Amino acid sequence: MSHQRYPSEGLKEPHSVSLKVLRLSRPSLTAQYPIQPPLAPPLTNSLPIPASLAYTPSPNGDDANPEPFILSPILTLPPSFGSAYVGETFSCTLCANNEIPDPTLPDTALSSQPGVTPQLRPPAAKKTIRDVRIEAEMKTPGSAATVKLEAIGAAAPPSPGEGTDLQPGDTLQRVVNFDLKEEGNHVLAVTISYYEATETSGRTRTFRKLYQFICKSSLIVRTKPGVLPPARSTTAKGPGGRRWVLEAQLENCGEDVVQLERVVLDLEPGLTYVDCNWEATGSAKPVLHPGEVEQTCFVLEETVVDGVGMVRSQEGRVVFGVLSIGWRGEMGNRGFLSTGKLGTRHGQG
């Protein structure tokens, strides 16, 4: 009895174009003094070891950074993708590289050996890379569909929908941005397509790579509404409008220090509010270290026209509006967060 033989599937030919993805994020300042040992006495204040400094001390005391400050002018690049937080803008650069070696250049593997004369690469079928395109999509945890990202770059294609031709060793670079609004796993999908042409034939080739990262919560917002006595009427047509107080606690649950820039309310029609926070008092913007909490407060008042309040209850609930928070990180990176619609069932009238 004869046995049917199934030919083994050959190895796939490697692509002539490679993909490199690098997240774009701001660096951080380098600490120049070491942390005290955990078993060291609390009153011990020994001089730092010169090797632990971020600058080179000179014998005559003319140091590059003589101030005994823990942060130095030297910057540290972030490791790989790092941590992503809700409210930030995720940015990364996508690089499509033409990996076909240039046949006119000598073979570096042979030229690096001593006593060997540099030789040209062995002749191979000449390939030309044309119509290179980069497409990116983002998959968020709250949606089954993907969001197509706009890839921007310094050199735009001749017309929309057309690709770019790459010579050996050339690179096509694009940058994509995405506002992070949800916690959980995010997947960045990058698709590279190009036309690989030889002297006798040509074909379109495509490959796709996925990059997964976790988005964490950077700021926890806790709100608490309350009822205040009605405001005094400025006319004789009846009492003033209803009033409420809205308290909000902002907790930094991230790993970096942030500075709050603005906390505002986007109110529903018929409401006004008084800001009782640092902008109203002229105080400095609060700085939150990891785990610290900032208390904010707003006084809301109903607009009254001819003795009638302009706020209408929705299903037994008074809707105030949306609380928006903006902040900056240590190196100036911006963050923005908005809550859902806030309200109360007390004092709905």
Side-chain angles (χ1 to χ4, degrees), residues 250-256 288-294:
L250 313 178
E251 179 182 352
N252 180 10
C253 58
E255 301 174 356
D256 301 324
L288 296 182
H289 291 261
E292 291 186 344
V293 178
E294 176 70 16

Side-chain angles (χ1 to χ4, degrees), residues 223-226 228 243-248 250 262-267 272-279 295-301 320 322-325 342:
T223 59
K224 178 183 177 182
L228 295 177
R243 295 197 306 164
W244 300 269
V245 59
L246 179 64
E247 301 176 71
L250 313 178
R262 57 193 299 265
V263 179
V264 296
L265 277 171
D266 184 11
L267 296 178
T272 60
Y273 78 92
V274 177
D275 190 346
C276 305
N277 305 304
W278 62 89
E279 292 185 353
Q295 182 86 16
T296 60
C297 179
F298 303 90
V299 176
L300 293 84
E301 183 175 346
F320 296 151
V322 175
L323 181 65
S324 300
I325 305 106
L342 305 175

Side-chain angles (χ1 to χ4, degrees), residues 70-306:
I70 191 171
L71 296 179
S72 74
I74 299 179
L75 299 179
T76 300
L77 296 178
S80 63
F81 263 39
S83 299
Y85 294 100
V86 176
E88 298 180 346
T89 299
F90 177 85
S91 302
C92 64
T93 177
L94 315 175
C95 298
N97 309 307
N98 185 349
E99 300 292 349
I100 298 178
D102 191 345
T104 61
L105 298 179
D107 194 338
T108 56
L110 295 178
S111 61
S112 60
Q113 300 179 8
V116 178
T117 304
Q119 300 179 6
L120 295 179
R121 301 178 185 274
K126 183 180 179 181
K127 295 181 181 180
T128 304
I129 303 302
R130 302 174 181 172
D131 196 21
V132 180
R133 306 184 187 190
I134 301 178
E135 296 180 354
E137 297 174 329
M138 184 69 74
K139 174 69 172 61
T140 59
S143 175
T146 58
V147 179
K148 188 173 182 179
L149 306 181
E150 180 183 2
I152 57 178
S159 61
E162 291 189 5
T164 303
D165 299 342
L166 294 181
Q167 299 298 324
D170 286 354
T171 298
L172 174 63
Q173 182 173 338
R174 292 290 183 264
V175 176
V176 294
N177 302 302
F178 183 77
D179 294 333
L180 300 174
K181 301 179 181 179
E182 301 178 67
E183 297 182 47
N185 292 330
H186 288 63
V187 179
L188 173 66
V190 183
T191 303
I192 302 294
S193 62
Y194 61 96
Y195 185 77
E196 185 182 74
T198 62
E199 296 178 353
T200 57
S201 63
R203 57 178 175 172
T204 299
R205 305 193 66 184
T206 303
F207 66 92
R208 181 183 179 92
K209 288 189 176 182
L210 305 178
Y211 301 87
Q212 181 177 355
F213 62 95
I214 298 178
C215 183
K216 307 176 184 178
S217 177
S218 58
L219 208 65
I220 296 179
V221 182
R222 303 181 183 92
T223 59
K224 178 183 177 182
V227 181
L228 295 177
R232 292 184 179 182
S233 176
T234 57
T235 64
K237 294 184 178 181
R242 294 170 293 175
R243 295 197 306 164
W244 300 269
V245 59
L246 179 64
E247 301 176 71
Q249 287 186 346
L250 313 178
E251 179 182 352
N252 180 10
C253 58
E255 301 174 356
D256 301 324
V257 180
V258 298
Q259 182 183 47
L260 297 178
E261 281 205 322
R262 57 193 299 265
V263 179
V264 296
L265 277 171
D266 184 11
L267 296 178
E268 293 290 312
L271 286 171
T272 60
Y273 78 92
V274 177
D275 190 346
C276 305
N277 305 304
W278 62 89
E279 292 185 353
T281 59
S283 305
K285 298 177 181 179
V287 176
L288 296 182
H289 291 261
E292 291 186 344
V293 178
E294 176 70 16
Q295 182 86 16
T296 60
C297 179
F298 303 90
V299 176
L300 293 84
E301 183 175 346
E302 179 184 25
T303 303
V304 176
V305 178
D306 295 333

